Amino acid sequence: MPTTDFKETVKQQADIVRIVDDYVKLKKAGAQNFSGLCPFHNEKTPSFSVHATRQFFHCFGCGVSGDVFAFIMRIENITFPESVRLVAQKLGIALPKVEFSSPQEAREAKLRMVLLDIHERAGTFLQDYLKRPEGAAARAYLAGRGLDDATIARFRIGYAPDSGFLLRDALRREFDEESLRESGLFSWKEEGSRQSSVPSLDSGQAKNNRPEQQLLRSAQDNKSVEDNGTDAGATNGGNGAELKAKSQELRAADSLEARGPKLAAFYSKFRNRVMFPIANESGRIIAFTGRTLSTDEKAGPKYLNSPETAIYSKSRVLFNLDHAKEAIRKLDYAILVEGQMDCISVFAAGFQNVLASSGTAFTEMQARLLGRFSKNVVVNFDPDTAGAKATERTLGLLVEEDFQIKVLTLEAGFDPDLYIRRKGKGAYADALKHQSQRYFDYLIRRAQGQFPTRTPEGKVKAVNYLLPHIQRVPSRIVRDELAHEIAQKLGIDSAVLRQELKHVAASRSAATIKAAPEAQITDAERILVRALASASEIQTSEQHLSARDGAEEEFDPARQARFALQSERLYEGLATESLMETLLTGGLEVTDVMELPLSDSDRARLASILLKDAEELSAERVEGAVRALRRIHLRRRLDEVQRKVEAPGRKDPTEMQALLQEKVRLKHALRDPSLAEENSGNSRQRPA
């Protein structure tokens, strides 16, 4: 774990509002509060609040709360030590040596850090190899796609050589084999045959003519040339390193065959591919996509993606978010495309608010990730059948997350990359401005195109096509407006359509997270909890004086509340009993009350109360709250005595007399003018 001193140093320097604002669009909502849409559950009305002075967050919708480290842990899905380090990095604070709470936590964190380093080193290797003679075909491919050197450098595009050993051997100098296997960059065969373990080196190899010998001789020739001071790459048309690597592969294969099946063939997963790094939100490389340059069917898929690892989950990543997030915030909308080349071309054309789903199905987690930066999006997927279906799936997720959506459909045969290369960025800007249509206009046109709405059967099919999309819309008002609009455009009796819509809407599966019902808390309790949480001095119990004792010192609401509550225990039996007990026993021992050992319900209750501290605490308000609790205490005691008096069965005369006397005493106490309720309504109840 990070040392207490370092953790406190980071926490004191961290502004939780600024840190959270990197993830959630916050708006000022009071003197000290900021609010926004909760990133931890689906909502359309902001219930997520951040307190600038007390430096904590709380969601009134799902109940999560905590300090800046708790927020980073939850949203980044990392451990506490990693959250402290990440916040420190954001603030530019030098990092000490990390300590962890368990060996397992240490292993997991170490693996993530090692995998990040492996991917960064791999990225550098692949970028360097693109510049070498062996990368000529890759450079030609990128030039043909209209990418200049600046764009290639910005996106850190590289080239994976045809050899399966070059990248492995380069990384082996710094990292152990187990970490390399965990990286997802390599393939291997445990106890496999030589034939299945070693990658194909040359499609012209035959079993009987032993081309390995020719390769070995060629590699030896390269070596002799190098010894004579001549560049082997130049002598062999830029293939010197390739030949040496292939000879290493053959020697390794021979070694495997000689030593038996216990060893594994271990080689690069990406070979002869243009490499597109995938970065996390901070810009660290976490995965790759490789586009093959080979026409051989044995080369594998056209696009090959990294598998999921400890640092990469494809459902949680949006390609180019590290470059695009500031432009998305500034412009308040994102352009969402399907492929990485589409994204790079659109970005290079000057539209820097563009993201890509990397060719995978768009996910709920990606929608929520995008929603942290803007709720406005233009979806520009390929216009072919597969692209149209992907658009519909994406629209459905974005609708459920309450995005404002437009759809840009380019001419048939044009994806965004080709459109910009053929027609220019001006034409794309014009299409973005004039051809983008509301998402339901797009869906209605799709329905009209697929089904002949001039016939009753066609209308039924069109409605059945559209109803699931309408069903996803969170707002009933918007659903009703859409039903009316669709009815008009399809020529259907809107009353009939609305009836069908009501039937579908009644079974909506999208669940809304609601806060658990809170116990009733009086205004008096709220005031006294705020007072206890405002402790400004650490004093011994002998120094706690009532504000009416005439002490010539600044009013301290915490001291006044503690004196009354501790001496009379007025909080017993209240909804806030356990919370007040914790504040009384430990409130003076911490500088931040949110760090007290509270239950989840008490922590949420405390956060809720502190985020609504609109009125200033004064001696009169605190004293009024104490009087209100005294009245509550007396009334509860009177109710208890009355129940005993009215209880069935014979009672001892002495006991009955004592109960009646206690009843008279309590009624007399309630008539005490000093306990009279004031206009502040301190005894009214309302939900926490």
Side-chain angles (χ1 to χ4, degrees):
M1 297 285 287
T3 63
T4 301
D5 289 345
F6 180 72
K7 182 193 77 171
E8 290 302 323
T9 298
V10 174
K11 191 170 183 177
Q12 288 171 9
Q13 294 187 36
D15 177 6
I16 192 172
V17 175
R18 187 180 70 81
I19 298 293
V20 172
D21 195 53
D22 286 342
Y23 301 87
V24 180
K25 293 186 68 174
L26 295 175
K27 294 183 179 179
K28 199 165 180 60
Q32 301 296 333
N33 293 350
F34 292 78
S35 67
L37 294 171
C38 180
F40 306 123
H41 80 279
N42 183 20
E43 64 177 8
K44 56 184 297 185
T45 302
S47 63
F48 180 85
S49 295
V50 181
H51 198 292
T53 303
R54 294 190 178 274
Q55 292 288 294
F56 74 91
F57 73 92
H58 177 71
C59 177
F60 293 92
C62 63
V64 298
S65 60
D67 60 9
V68 64
F69 301 131
F71 178 84
I72 292 295
M73 284 174 64
R74 183 177 287 269
I75 201 161
E76 293 283 358
N77 193 28
I78 57 178
T79 63
F80 175 73
E82 290 173 308
S83 73
V84 176
R85 289 173 67 85
L86 182 55
V87 174
Q89 288 172 344
K90 288 176 179 285
L91 300 175
I93 300 174
L95 300 173
K97 184 178 179 181
V98 182
E99 298 177 7
F100 296 93
S101 60
S102 69
Q104 178 67 18
E105 184 182 68
R107 283 192 297 270
E108 291 173 354
K110 181 180 179 181
L111 176 61
R112 284 192 289 269
M113 289 187 285
V114 169
L115 294 187
L116 286 170
D117 288 341
I118 288 174
H119 279 78
E120 287 294 331
R121 299 291 194 282
T124 300
F125 174 90
L126 299 169
Q127 291 171 69
D128 290 343
Y129 229 87
L130 179 65
K131 300 172 185 175
R132 298 180 60 159
E134 295 90 334
R139 293 195 300 273
Y141 167 80
L142 294 171
R145 300 300 295 262
L147 301 187
D148 56 25
D149 290 343
T151 302
I152 291 171
R154 178 157 198 166
F155 285 90
R156 296 181 283 181
I157 301 171
Y159 170 66
D162 196 27
S163 166
F165 285 5
L166 289 174
L167 177 61
R168 182 203 67 180
D169 291 344
L171 294 178
R172 265 182 170 173
R173 301 186 188 107
E174 297 183 65
F175 306 100
D176 61 83
E177 188 169 295
E178 186 59 34
S179 297
L180 294 179
R181 291 190 182 203
E182 292 290 336
S183 72
L185 298 177
F186 300 94
S187 299
W188 63 91
K189 288 285 186 179
E190 296 288 356
E191 298 187 359
S193 67
R194 173 187 169 190
Q195 221 173 8
S196 63
S197 297
V198 182
S200 174
L201 302 179
D202 192 323
S203 60
Q205 288 186 5
K207 291 183 179 179
N208 298 323
N209 61 8
R210 301 293 292 169
E212 305 99 304
Q213 296 175 1
Q214 298 174 15
L215 284 169
L216 285 172
R217 283 197 298 271
S218 181
Q220 290 168 354
D221 291 342
N222 288 335
K223 181 67 169 63
S224 65
V225 172
E226 289 174 3
D227 291 341
N228 290 326
T230 306
D231 181 22
T235 305
N236 291 281
N239 293 323
E242 291 276 6
L243 289 169
K244 286 194 296 181
K246 290 178 179 179
S247 69
Q248 290 175 4
E249 294 178 17
L250 292 168
R251 290 192 182 103
D254 288 337
S255 176
L256 275 174
E257 191 172 46
R259 284 187 265 181
K262 292 184 180 180
L263 297 178
F266 186 52
Y267 51 88
S268 177
K269 186 186 296 288
F270 299 94
R271 301 187 300 280
N272 194 26
R273 290 177 179 270
V274 176
M275 299 294 285
F276 300 94
I278 299 172
N280 62 16
E281 191 179 322
S282 303
R284 299 290 302 273
I285 298 176
I286 56 176
F288 291 93
T289 294
R291 201 277 188 192
T292 187
L293 295 177
S294 176
T295 56
D296 187 351
E297 293 181 359
K298 296 180 181 179
K302 183 177 180 180
Y303 289 96
L304 181 63
N305 296 313
S306 290
E308 298 209 349
T309 65
I311 59 172
Y312 174 59
S313 175
K314 63 183 179 181
S315 65
R316 296 171 175 265
V317 177
L318 286 169
F319 181 77
N320 197 46
L321 181 60
D322 55 321
H323 292 143
K325 59 185 180 182
E326 292 306 321
I328 294 172
R329 284 182 184 276
K330 182 178 179 181
L331 299 173
D332 195 24
Y333 85 97
I335 303 170
L336 183 63
V337 297
E338 198 169 6
Q340 290 157 340
M341 271 306 307
D342 290 332
C343 183
I344 293 170
S345 294
V346 172
F347 187 94
F351 307 93
Q352 298 189 353
N353 56 329
V354 61
L355 303 168
S357 59
S358 297
T360 61
F362 199 74
T363 67
E364 181 181 352
M365 292 301 300
Q366 288 174 321
R368 290 186 179 180
L369 177 61
L370 175 56
R372 284 167 32 198
F373 302 95
S374 177
K375 283 286 189 175
N376 301 303
V377 62
V378 176
V379 178
N380 182 199
F381 285 0
D382 293 352
D384 59 20
T385 303
K389 290 182 178 179
T391 299
E392 290 178 21
R393 290 192 300 268
T394 301
L395 289 177
L397 287 168
L398 294 172
V399 166
E400 287 186 339
E401 294 295 326
D402 206 34
F403 276 77
Q404 299 299 310
I405 310 159
K406 290 185 177 180
V407 180
L408 173 58
T409 304
L410 301 173
E411 299 171 30
F414 284 92
D415 58 23
D417 170 44
L418 184 61
Y419 191 91
I420 289 172
R421 284 190 284 130
R422 293 280 179 84
K423 295 179 178 290
K425 61 183 181 181
Y428 187 78
D430 187 67
L432 199 62
K433 183 176 181 180
H434 299 293
Q435 292 178 219
S436 299
Q437 55 187 325
R438 290 189 317 143
Y439 74 97
F440 257 98
D441 290 338
Y442 165 82
L443 289 174
I444 291 170
R445 289 187 182 182
R446 284 270 296 164
Q448 290 172 326
Q450 292 184 60
F451 311 107
T453 54
R454 293 184 299 274
T455 67
E457 294 81 4
K459 291 180 180 179
V460 170
K461 290 180 179 179
V463 169
N464 288 335
Y465 167 80
L466 291 169
L467 280 177
H469 295 282
I470 301 174
Q471 185 185 18
R472 291 174 179 264
V473 178
S475 170
R476 287 189 61 184
I477 296 174
V478 175
R479 291 200 300 273
D480 189 65
E481 290 176 350
L482 287 171
H484 182 70
E485 182 179 342
I486 291 169
Q488 281 188 325
K489 292 186 176 181
L490 297 184
I492 302 172
D493 183 348
S494 59
V496 174
L497 180 59
R498 273 198 290 271
Q499 184 62 37
E500 185 65 24
L501 180 61
K502 285 181 181 179
H503 174 71
V504 175
S507 59
R508 287 190 76 231
S509 58
T512 302
I513 297 178
K514 297 181 180 179
E518 289 283 353
Q520 293 295 302
I521 298 177
T522 63
D523 283 349
E525 290 173 82
R526 293 172 181 277
I527 291 169
L528 292 173
V529 166
R530 286 177 53 204
L532 291 174
S534 70
S536 57
E537 299 175 357
I538 298 178
Q539 305 179 43
T540 63
S541 59
E542 290 78 17
Q543 292 175 304
H544 293 173
L545 303 173
S546 169
R548 291 178 293 178
D549 289 340
E552 294 293 333
E553 56 184 272
E554 185 179 355
F555 166 63
D556 185 347
R559 184 174 65 241
Q560 182 175 349
R562 293 176 71 85
F563 178 82
L565 292 171
Q566 285 182 324
S567 60
E568 302 178 48
R569 301 192 68 80
L570 298 174
Y571 57 89
E572 291 183 348
L574 299 176
T576 54
E577 178 180 356
S578 61
L579 173 57
M580 287 197 190
E581 183 74 39
T582 304
L583 289 170
L584 287 168
T585 56
L588 294 177
E589 300 173 3
V590 296
T591 56
D592 182 358
V593 292
M594 294 301 291
E595 293 185 352
L596 288 169
L598 299 166
S599 67
D600 290 344
S601 58
D602 277 347
R603 189 176 305 280
R605 191 170 287 133
L606 176 60
S608 174
I609 291 171
L610 295 180
L611 283 166
K612 294 179 179 177
D613 55 355
E615 298 184 55
E616 182 181 357
L617 289 173
S618 63
E620 292 75 18
R621 284 183 62 78
V622 174
E623 188 63 30
V626 171
R627 286 199 304 270
L629 288 197
R630 285 183 182 136
R631 290 185 64 84
I632 293 173
H633 184 74
L634 290 171
R635 284 172 177 161
R636 286 186 172 181
R637 177 60 184 154
L638 181 59
D639 290 341
E640 181 182 347
V641 169
Q642 186 64 31
R643 283 195 299 272
K644 289 181 179 180
V645 169
E646 296 175 353
R650 297 192 56 173
K651 296 181 178 63
D652 180 76
T654 304
E655 180 188 358
M656 179 59 76
Q657 184 178 3
L659 288 172
L660 292 174
Q661 288 176 347
E662 177 69 0
K663 181 177 177 180
V664 171
R665 186 189 70 78
L666 291 170
K667 285 187 173 182
H668 180 73
L670 282 169
R671 289 196 292 269
D672 185 343
S674 66
L675 294 183
E677 295 185 53
E678 299 180 350
N679 293 332
S680 60
N682 286 326
S683 63
R684 293 196 313 271
Q685 293 188 332
R686 64 183 182 188

PDB file of all heavy atoms in Angstrom, residues 171-189:
ATOM      1  N   LEU A 171      12.214  -8.244 -27.501  1.00  0.00           N
ATOM      2  CA  LEU A 171      11.578  -8.056 -26.196  1.00  0.00           C
ATOM      3  C   LEU A 171      12.160  -8.975 -25.133  1.00  0.00           C
ATOM      4  O   LEU A 171      12.103  -8.659 -23.939  1.00  0.00           O
ATOM      5  CB  LEU A 171      10.069  -8.289 -26.324  1.00  0.00           C
ATOM      6  CG  LEU A 171       9.311  -7.284 -27.190  1.00  0.00           C
ATOM      7  CD1 LEU A 171       7.831  -7.653 -27.275  1.00  0.00           C
ATOM      8  CD2 LEU A 171       9.459  -5.869 -26.651  1.00  0.00           C
ATOM      9  N   ARG A 172      12.709 -10.115 -25.550  1.00  0.00           N
ATOM     10  CA  ARG A 172      13.300 -11.044 -24.585  1.00  0.00           C
ATOM     11  C   ARG A 172      14.474 -10.434 -23.829  1.00  0.00           C
ATOM     12  O   ARG A 172      14.823 -10.899 -22.743  1.00  0.00           O
ATOM     13  CB  ARG A 172      13.772 -12.310 -25.314  1.00  0.00           C
ATOM     14  CG  ARG A 172      12.758 -13.438 -25.305  1.00  0.00           C
ATOM     15  CD  ARG A 172      13.318 -14.652 -26.002  1.00  0.00           C
ATOM     16  NE  ARG A 172      12.474 -15.819 -25.807  1.00  0.00           N
ATOM     17  CZ  ARG A 172      12.666 -16.979 -26.416  1.00  0.00           C
ATOM     18  NH1 ARG A 172      13.694 -17.123 -27.244  1.00  0.00           N
ATOM     19  NH2 ARG A 172      11.863 -18.003 -26.192  1.00  0.00           N
ATOM     20  N   ARG A 173      15.086  -9.415 -24.400  1.00  0.00           N
ATOM     21  CA  ARG A 173      16.217  -8.785 -23.718  1.00  0.00           C
ATOM     22  C   ARG A 173      15.778  -8.057 -22.446  1.00  0.00           C
ATOM     23  O   ARG A 173      16.587  -7.811 -21.568  1.00  0.00           O
ATOM     24  CB  ARG A 173      16.903  -7.789 -24.664  1.00  0.00           C
ATOM     25  CG  ARG A 173      17.431  -8.423 -25.947  1.00  0.00           C
ATOM     26  CD  ARG A 173      18.229  -7.428 -26.767  1.00  0.00           C
ATOM     27  NE  ARG A 173      18.572  -7.969 -28.074  1.00  0.00           N
ATOM     28  CZ  ARG A 173      18.015  -7.582 -29.219  1.00  0.00           C
ATOM     29  NH1 ARG A 173      17.080  -6.629 -29.204  1.00  0.00           N
ATOM     30  NH2 ARG A 173      18.369  -8.118 -30.367  1.00  0.00           N
ATOM     31  N   GLU A 174      14.477  -7.702 -22.382  1.00  0.00           N
ATOM     32  CA  GLU A 174      13.990  -6.930 -21.231  1.00  0.00           C
ATOM     33  C   GLU A 174      12.931  -7.651 -20.404  1.00  0.00           C
ATOM     34  O   GLU A 174      12.761  -7.329 -19.219  1.00  0.00           O
ATOM     35  CB  GLU A 174      13.383  -5.605 -21.718  1.00  0.00           C
ATOM     36  CG  GLU A 174      14.338  -4.677 -22.412  1.00  0.00           C
ATOM     37  CD  GLU A 174      13.669  -3.371 -22.780  1.00  0.00           C
ATOM     38  OE1 GLU A 174      13.279  -2.626 -21.868  1.00  0.00           O
ATOM     39  OE2 GLU A 174      13.516  -3.106 -23.993  1.00  0.00           O
ATOM     40  N   PHE A 175      12.231  -8.617 -20.996  1.00  0.00           N
ATOM     41  CA  PHE A 175      11.070  -9.199 -20.314  1.00  0.00           C
ATOM     42  C   PHE A 175      11.160 -10.722 -20.312  1.00  0.00           C
ATOM     43  O   PHE A 175      11.693 -11.335 -21.243  1.00  0.00           O
ATOM     44  CB  PHE A 175       9.774  -8.754 -20.997  1.00  0.00           C
ATOM     45  CG  PHE A 175       9.632  -7.264 -21.127  1.00  0.00           C
ATOM     46  CD1 PHE A 175       9.912  -6.634 -22.334  1.00  0.00           C
ATOM     47  CD2 PHE A 175       9.247  -6.486 -20.038  1.00  0.00           C
ATOM     48  CE1 PHE A 175       9.797  -5.262 -22.463  1.00  0.00           C
ATOM     49  CE2 PHE A 175       9.131  -5.114 -20.162  1.00  0.00           C
ATOM     50  CZ  PHE A 175       9.406  -4.504 -21.365  1.00  0.00           C
ATOM     51  N   ASP A 176      10.597 -11.330 -19.268  1.00  0.00           N
ATOM     52  CA  ASP A 176      10.605 -12.777 -19.177  1.00  0.00           C
ATOM     53  C   ASP A 176       9.542 -13.373 -20.102  1.00  0.00           C
ATOM     54  O   ASP A 176       8.599 -12.701 -20.523  1.00  0.00           O
ATOM     55  CB  ASP A 176      10.376 -13.233 -17.734  1.00  0.00           C
ATOM     56  CG  ASP A 176       9.030 -12.774 -17.198  1.00  0.00           C
ATOM     57  OD1 ASP A 176       8.017 -13.447 -17.476  1.00  0.00           O
ATOM     58  OD2 ASP A 176       8.988 -11.727 -16.515  1.00  0.00           O
ATOM     59  N   GLU A 177       9.700 -14.662 -20.379  1.00  0.00           N
ATOM     60  CA  GLU A 177       8.839 -15.327 -21.351  1.00  0.00           C
ATOM     61  C   GLU A 177       7.382 -15.374 -20.894  1.00  0.00           C
ATOM     62  O   GLU A 177       6.461 -15.221 -21.696  1.00  0.00           O
ATOM     63  CB  GLU A 177       9.350 -16.742 -21.627  1.00  0.00           C
ATOM     64  CG  GLU A 177       8.626 -17.432 -22.770  1.00  0.00           C
ATOM     65  CD  GLU A 177       9.313 -18.713 -23.203  1.00  0.00           C
ATOM     66  OE1 GLU A 177      10.456 -18.632 -23.701  1.00  0.00           O
ATOM     67  OE2 GLU A 177       8.708 -19.779 -23.031  1.00  0.00           O
ATOM     68  N   GLU A 178       7.160 -15.568 -19.593  1.00  0.00           N
ATOM     69  CA  GLU A 178       5.789 -15.643 -19.097  1.00  0.00           C
ATOM     70  C   GLU A 178       5.050 -14.323 -19.335  1.00  0.00           C
ATOM     71  O   GLU A 178       3.890 -14.308 -19.732  1.00  0.00           O
ATOM     72  CB  GLU A 178       5.790 -15.991 -17.606  1.00  0.00           C
ATOM     73  CG  GLU A 178       4.412 -16.229 -17.022  1.00  0.00           C
ATOM     74  CD  GLU A 178       3.666 -17.366 -17.710  1.00  0.00           C
ATOM     75  OE1 GLU A 178       4.327 -18.342 -18.136  1.00  0.00           O
ATOM     76  OE2 GLU A 178       2.435 -17.278 -17.831  1.00  0.00           O
ATOM     77  N   SER A 179       5.727 -13.199 -19.102  1.00  0.00           N
ATOM     78  CA  SER A 179       5.101 -11.889 -19.349  1.00  0.00           C
ATOM     79  C   SER A 179       4.815 -11.698 -20.830  1.00  0.00           C
ATOM     80  O   SER A 179       3.776 -11.140 -21.207  1.00  0.00           O
ATOM     81  CB  SER A 179       6.012 -10.765 -18.841  1.00  0.00           C
ATOM     82  OG  SER A 179       6.189 -10.859 -17.445  1.00  0.00           O
ATOM     83  N   LEU A 180       5.740 -12.166 -21.679  1.00  0.00           N
ATOM     84  CA  LEU A 180       5.524 -12.044 -23.121  1.00  0.00           C
ATOM     85  C   LEU A 180       4.317 -12.867 -23.557  1.00  0.00           C
ATOM     86  O   LEU A 180       3.548 -12.441 -24.421  1.00  0.00           O
ATOM     87  CB  LEU A 180       6.772 -12.487 -23.877  1.00  0.00           C
ATOM     88  CG  LEU A 180       8.020 -11.602 -23.688  1.00  0.00           C
ATOM     89  CD1 LEU A 180       9.188 -12.164 -24.476  1.00  0.00           C
ATOM     90  CD2 LEU A 180       7.747 -10.158 -24.099  1.00  0.00           C
ATOM     91  N   ARG A 181       4.139 -14.037 -22.968  1.00  0.00           N
ATOM     92  CA  ARG A 181       2.967 -14.847 -23.305  1.00  0.00           C
ATOM     93  C   ARG A 181       1.683 -14.136 -22.880  1.00  0.00           C
ATOM     94  O   ARG A 181       0.677 -14.172 -23.590  1.00  0.00           O
ATOM     95  CB  ARG A 181       3.056 -16.207 -22.617  1.00  0.00           C
ATOM     96  CG  ARG A 181       4.159 -17.090 -23.167  1.00  0.00           C
ATOM     97  CD  ARG A 181       4.045 -18.493 -22.614  1.00  0.00           C
ATOM     98  NE  ARG A 181       5.119 -19.349 -23.097  1.00  0.00           N
ATOM     99  CZ  ARG A 181       5.051 -20.669 -23.160  1.00  0.00           C
ATOM    100  NH1 ARG A 181       3.945 -21.278 -22.785  1.00  0.00           N
ATOM    101  NH2 ARG A 181       6.068 -21.376 -23.588  1.00  0.00           N
ATOM    102  N   GLU A 182       1.706 -13.497 -21.706  1.00  0.00           N
ATOM    103  CA  GLU A 182       0.523 -12.800 -21.204  1.00  0.00           C
ATOM    104  C   GLU A 182       0.187 -11.565 -22.030  1.00  0.00           C
ATOM    105  O   GLU A 182      -0.925 -11.053 -21.953  1.00  0.00           O
ATOM    106  CB  GLU A 182       0.731 -12.395 -19.742  1.00  0.00           C
ATOM    107  CG  GLU A 182       0.798 -13.555 -18.759  1.00  0.00           C
ATOM    108  CD  GLU A 182      -0.545 -14.235 -18.580  1.00  0.00           C
ATOM    109  OE1 GLU A 182      -1.581 -13.584 -18.828  1.00  0.00           O
ATOM    110  OE2 GLU A 182      -0.569 -15.424 -18.200  1.00  0.00           O
ATOM    111  N   SER A 183       1.146 -11.085 -22.823  1.00  0.00           N
ATOM    112  CA  SER A 183       0.925  -9.842 -23.582  1.00  0.00           C
ATOM    113  C   SER A 183      -0.058 -10.005 -24.728  1.00  0.00           C
ATOM    114  O   SER A 183      -0.608  -9.023 -25.217  1.00  0.00           O
ATOM    115  CB  SER A 183       2.263  -9.340 -24.143  1.00  0.00           C
ATOM    116  OG  SER A 183       2.707 -10.182 -25.209  1.00  0.00           O
ATOM    117  N   GLY A 184      -0.263 -11.254 -25.212  1.00  0.00           N
ATOM    118  CA  GLY A 184      -1.145 -11.466 -26.355  1.00  0.00           C
ATOM    119  C   GLY A 184      -0.485 -11.198 -27.692  1.00  0.00           C
ATOM    120  O   GLY A 184      -1.142 -11.273 -28.733  1.00  0.00           O
ATOM    121  N   LEU A 185       0.814 -10.891 -27.682  1.00  0.00           N
ATOM    122  CA  LEU A 185       1.517 -10.577 -28.927  1.00  0.00           C
ATOM    123  C   LEU A 185       2.132 -11.809 -29.580  1.00  0.00           C
ATOM    124  O   LEU A 185       2.634 -11.711 -30.705  1.00  0.00           O
ATOM    125  CB  LEU A 185       2.631  -9.552 -28.646  1.00  0.00           C
ATOM    126  CG  LEU A 185       2.182  -8.194 -28.105  1.00  0.00           C
ATOM    127  CD1 LEU A 185       3.388  -7.327 -27.808  1.00  0.00           C
ATOM    128  CD2 LEU A 185       1.251  -7.502 -29.082  1.00  0.00           C
ATOM    129  N   PHE A 186       2.084 -12.947 -28.880  1.00  0.00           N
ATOM    130  CA  PHE A 186       2.800 -14.124 -29.367  1.00  0.00           C
ATOM    131  C   PHE A 186       1.910 -15.357 -29.368  1.00  0.00           C
ATOM    132  O   PHE A 186       0.931 -15.444 -28.635  1.00  0.00           O
ATOM    133  CB  PHE A 186       4.042 -14.384 -28.504  1.00  0.00           C
ATOM    134  CG  PHE A 186       5.011 -13.238 -28.524  1.00  0.00           C
ATOM    135  CD1 PHE A 186       4.974 -12.253 -27.538  1.00  0.00           C
ATOM    136  CD2 PHE A 186       5.933 -13.117 -29.548  1.00  0.00           C
ATOM    137  CE1 PHE A 186       5.843 -11.182 -27.570  1.00  0.00           C
ATOM    138  CE2 PHE A 186       6.808 -12.045 -29.589  1.00  0.00           C
ATOM    139  CZ  PHE A 186       6.774 -11.074 -28.602  1.00  0.00           C
ATOM    140  N   SER A 187       2.303 -16.311 -30.208  1.00  0.00           N
ATOM    141  CA  SER A 187       1.642 -17.611 -30.274  1.00  0.00           C
ATOM    142  C   SER A 187       2.671 -18.682 -29.947  1.00  0.00           C
ATOM    143  O   SER A 187       3.875 -18.469 -30.086  1.00  0.00           O
ATOM    144  CB  SER A 187       1.066 -17.864 -31.667  1.00  0.00           C
ATOM    145  OG  SER A 187       0.094 -16.895 -31.993  1.00  0.00           O
ATOM    146  N   TRP A 188       2.200 -19.857 -29.523  1.00  0.00           N
ATOM    147  CA  TRP A 188       3.103 -20.963 -29.222  1.00  0.00           C
ATOM    148  C   TRP A 188       2.333 -22.269 -29.265  1.00  0.00           C
ATOM    149  O   TRP A 188       1.110 -22.283 -29.249  1.00  0.00           O
ATOM    150  CB  TRP A 188       3.751 -20.778 -27.843  1.00  0.00           C
ATOM    151  CG  TRP A 188       2.781 -20.790 -26.713  1.00  0.00           C
ATOM    152  CD1 TRP A 188       2.370 -21.860 -25.979  1.00  0.00           C
ATOM    153  CD2 TRP A 188       2.063 -19.667 -26.190  1.00  0.00           C
ATOM    154  NE1 TRP A 188       1.455 -21.481 -25.040  1.00  0.00           N
ATOM    155  CE2 TRP A 188       1.248 -20.131 -25.139  1.00  0.00           C
ATOM    156  CE3 TRP A 188       2.035 -18.305 -26.509  1.00  0.00           C
ATOM    157  CZ2 TRP A 188       0.416 -19.310 -24.415  1.00  0.00           C
ATOM    158  CZ3 TRP A 188       1.207 -17.483 -25.772  1.00  0.00           C
ATOM    159  CH2 TRP A 188       0.409 -17.980 -24.749  1.00  0.00           C
ATOM    160  N   LYS A 189       3.071 -23.344 -29.321  1.00  0.00           N
ATOM    161  CA  LYS A 189       2.482 -24.677 -29.305  1.00  0.00           C
ATOM    162  C   LYS A 189       3.176 -25.493 -28.227  1.00  0.00           C
ATOM    163  O   LYS A 189       4.379 -25.764 -28.322  1.00  0.00           O
ATOM    164  CB  LYS A 189       2.648 -25.375 -30.667  1.00  0.00           C
ATOM    165  CG  LYS A 189       1.754 -24.806 -31.763  1.00  0.00           C
ATOM    166  CD  LYS A 189       0.322 -25.241 -31.590  1.00  0.00           C
ATOM    167  CE  LYS A 189      -0.528 -24.786 -32.770  1.00  0.00           C
ATOM    168  NZ  LYS A 189      -1.920 -25.214 -32.631  1.00  0.00           N
TER     169      LYS A 189
END
